């Protein structure tokens, strides 16, 4: 019988995701590299099957899966550790979901679209706060302005705390190239190449451009789109600093010995498995995601804002909902998919609302 496997279950995001599965009545297989930690987690969750697997032994990851299973992986940083789980799902014929926020790894997953269609499986990358709300907000805005040629998406948080895994992921992306959609094509460009302000809850807030899944997913459901940009909100000084730092990192990336030395140093300094914010800290976090559409003359056509709470809780709930839906035949198609393409706009909107993020939309006409 097909099953759900949570790989990386004893990590910070993995545990939250396992808890979300239990809360909705599922009993996934909890997988990771430490048998004792898995047994402890299973006992704390009231009993669940466990399995030992390690990305250092790719065959052990493949052994977790059978055809028709759903693999949920939270093992990051994904640029460093994500490959074995993706390969295992494709080999076994299992659906694949991950929690990455790393744009270059998102691109890697979408590069496997043809292979996933041949295998008859769905690959759902970045299926959490990065980048489900932006895909949803943009799709809602595009529903109001279906002829739009451009969409900009901005992510903003107040009072966020980050996990060790998030910090390690950010460090791992410093020397990787970003991308954007330009003239209907994915092009490579530095992260933080663009700065702009968004109206967020009535106040202007600065953001820098980042790579996301929206660049790949949105044009597939909205072929009129010629340009997609995704932005991360930061204080103005930090935004300008990130832009300068990205330029310096791009220069270092052209010198392989320097790049490898800096990456090794960062890997030693920034450890991934160091936990994250507790429930009280997560409860203080507030976020907004804004999507704006424009015509070919840069006249704004529509704007949608989603607002909600902690990104880690949201990610756990979305992964649990999506995996449950996939296991029970709720996917609309196969391949490397964005969340709207995978589940449909209305079903996704309902799931996001159930995960604590609600919509406030305003439409503008030129």
């Amino acid at each position: 019988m097909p099953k759900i496997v949570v790989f990386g279950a004893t990590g910070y995001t993995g545990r939250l995701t396992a808890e979300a599965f239990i809360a909705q009545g599922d009993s996934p297989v909890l997988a990771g590299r430490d048998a004792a930690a898995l047994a402890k987690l299973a006992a704390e969750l009231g009993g669940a099957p466990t399995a030992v697997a390690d990305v250092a032994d790719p065959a052990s990851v493949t052994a977790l899966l059978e055809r028709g299973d759903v693999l949920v992986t939270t093992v990051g940083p994904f640029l460093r550790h994500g490959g074995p789980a993706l390969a295992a799902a494709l080999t076994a014929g299992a659906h694949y979901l991950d929690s990455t926020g790393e744009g270059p790894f998102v691109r890697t997953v979408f590069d496997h679209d043809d292979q996933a269609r041949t295998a008859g499986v769905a690959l759902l990358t970045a299926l959490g706060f990065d980048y489900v709300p932006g895909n949803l907000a943009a799709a809602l805005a595009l529903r109001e302005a279906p002829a739009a040629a451009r969409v900009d998406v901005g992510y903003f948080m107040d009072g966020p705390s980050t996990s060790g895994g998030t910090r390690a992921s950010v460090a791992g992306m410093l020397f990787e190239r970003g991308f954007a959609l330009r003239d209907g094509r994915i092009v490579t460009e530095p992260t933080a190449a663009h700065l702009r302000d968004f109206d967020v809850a009535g106040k202007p807030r600065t953001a820098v451009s980042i790579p996301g899944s929206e660049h790949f997913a949105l044009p597939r459901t909205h072929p009129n789109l010629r340009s997609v940009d995704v932005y991360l909100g930061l204080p103005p000084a930090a935004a300008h600093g990130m832009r300068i730092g990205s330029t310096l990192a791009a220069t270092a990336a052209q010198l392989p010995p320097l790049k490898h030395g800096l990456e090794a140093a960062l890997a030693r300094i920034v450890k991934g498995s160091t936990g994250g914010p507790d429930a009280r800290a997560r409860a203080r976090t507030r976020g907004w995601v804004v999507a704006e559409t424009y015509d070919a003359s840069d006249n704004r056509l529509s704007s949608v804002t989603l607002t909600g709470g902690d990104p880690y809780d949201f990610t756990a709930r979305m992964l649990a909902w999506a995996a449950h839906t996939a296991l029970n035949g709720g996917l609309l198609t196969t391949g490397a998919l964005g969340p709207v393409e995978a589940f449909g706009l209305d079903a996704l909107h309902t799931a996001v609302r159930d995960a604590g993020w609600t919509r406030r939309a305003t439409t503008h006409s030129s």
Side-chain angles (χ1 to χ4, degrees), residues 14-293:
R15 182 186 179 105
L16 290 176
T17 303
E19 291 172 348
F21 274 114
I22 299 301
Q24 69 182 20
D26 291 314
S27 182
V29 176
L30 307 179
R33 62 184 178 181
D34 187 328
L38 287 168
K40 181 175 183 293
L41 174 61
E44 291 170 351
L45 295 180
T50 64
V52 175
D54 191 335
V55 293
D57 177 11
S60 71
V61 184
T62 304
L64 295 171
L65 302 172
E66 298 177 346
R67 177 163 293 277
D69 287 350
V70 180
L71 175 64
V72 178
T73 176
T74 63
V75 178
F78 286 83
L79 285 169
R80 194 184 310 159
H81 301 307
L86 175 60
L90 288 166
T91 298
H95 299 305
Y96 167 94
L97 291 73
D98 72 42
S99 62
T100 191
E102 300 165 42
F105 188 78
V106 168
R107 188 171 192 170
T108 295
V109 174
F110 275 96
D111 284 344
H112 287 78
D113 181 50
D114 288 343
Q115 191 174 349
R117 292 178 189 275
T118 299
V121 301
L123 307 179
L124 302 174
T125 186
L127 205 71
F129 182 73
D130 311 346
Y131 292 93
V132 169
N135 276 275
L136 174 60
L140 292 171
L142 287 162
R143 175 186 272 179
E144 298 172 5
R150 169 186 149 210
V151 63
D152 288 358
V153 178
Y155 288 79
F156 302 87
M157 301 300 299
D158 279 350
S161 299
T162 58
S163 70
T166 297
R167 293 189 291 273
S169 292
V170 171
M173 287 189 292
L174 284 177
F175 304 102
E176 301 294 332
R177 298 284 281 176
F179 51 79
L181 187 77
R182 298 281 179 265
D183 295 323
R185 298 183 302 109
I186 296 292
V187 299
T188 299
E189 65 178 36
T191 298
H194 307 283
L195 275 70
R196 63 152 292 181
D197 287 343
F198 286 80
D199 183 322
V200 181
K203 296 181 180 179
R205 296 183 64 158
T206 302
V208 297
S209 58
I210 58 172
S213 73
E214 291 92 336
H215 305 90
F216 296 95
L218 292 174
R220 293 168 59 158
T221 51
H222 300 85
N224 289 330
L225 280 176
R226 309 302 296 165
S227 178
V228 175
D229 274 306
V230 181
Y231 293 84
L232 175 65
L234 293 171
H240 287 282
M242 183 173 175
R243 190 173 191 180
I244 295 169
S246 178
T247 301
L248 294 174
T251 301
Q254 303 304 309
L255 304 169
L258 177 60
K259 176 186 176 184
H260 295 326
L262 291 171
E263 286 178 332
L266 282 170
R268 289 192 298 270
I269 295 169
V270 184
K271 302 295 185 182
S273 300
T274 57
D278 61 18
R280 181 177 298 180
R282 297 197 304 273
R284 293 194 295 266
T285 303
R286 190 71 180 168
W288 298 264
V289 174
V290 182
E292 297 178 348
T293 66

